[in-house]
Amino acid sequence: QVQVTESGGGSVQAGGSLRLSCTASGVQFSTYCVGWFRQAPGKESEGVAAIEHDGSTKYHGSVKDRFTISRDNDKKTLYLQMNSLKPEDSAMYYCAGDPMTLDCSGDYLMAVGAWGQGTLVTVSS
């Protein structure tokens, strides 16, 4: 049973930055595809980014060039560096993972389901 600690959310003004973290236990983290998806109030969930065990990454088009996903397997921690934040990035952000997939993406992990309760990001204009 995976257990996670998600952190790093908060309130920032447009153009600001945040770094989300997700530390997992109970899984062989280094072998997992892991990533983030988000859900804003009244909107459908959206895959944000994912990183494969080999370090390859995939981003949603709306965050590419602004967000960077990374992982530290020794610390069993997933990160999402978010720069140039926009009000439309405001959402609850969830981390998720899967040990075996041919499609390591935020959308796939969204279907798998969140590992934790999420961390809230609010961007004001």
Side-chain angles (χ1 to χ4, degrees), residues 5-72:
T5 301
E6 295 163 300
S7 62
S11 298
V12 296
Q13 291 190 326
S17 298
L18 287 171
R19 189 175 82 152
L20 307 184
S21 299
C22 170
T23 300
S25 61
V27 295
Q28 196 169 355
F29 183 84
S30 62
T31 66
Y32 272 53
C33 158
V34 289
W36 300 89
F37 65 92
R38 65 189 179 187
Q39 185 166 25
K43 296 185 178 181
E44 292 186 355
S45 295
E46 179 179 75
V48 176
I51 182 166
E52 188 53 279
H53 67 281
D54 63 0
S56 58
T57 59
K58 189 175 289 186
Y59 295 91
H60 188 279
S62 67
V63 307
K64 199 173 183 180
D65 299 328
R66 297 189 298 122
F67 291 9
T68 302
I69 190 169
S70 62
R71 63 194 297 164
D72 185 330

Side-chain angles (χ1 to χ4, degrees), residues 50-122:
I51 182 166
E52 188 53 279
H53 67 281
D54 63 0
S56 58
T57 59
K58 189 175 289 186
Y59 295 91
H60 188 279
S62 67
V63 307
K64 199 173 183 180
D65 299 328
R66 297 189 298 122
F67 291 9
T68 302
I69 190 169
S70 62
R71 63 194 297 164
D72 185 330
N73 289 332
D74 289 337
K75 295 181 178 179
K76 295 188 177 182
T77 300
L78 172 69
Y79 301 100
L80 186 67
Q81 178 67 45
M82 305 186 295
N83 298 328
S84 302
L85 282 161
K86 303 176 181 180
E88 51 264 42
D89 295 318
S90 297
M92 188 72 80
Y93 283 70
Y94 300 92
C95 65
D98 194 74
M100 188 180 301
T101 176
L102 297 178
D103 175 27
C104 184
S105 67
D107 285 343
Y108 173 80
L109 294 174
M110 184 172 68
V112 170
W115 271 349
Q117 299 301 310
T119 184
L120 183 63
V121 172
T122 303

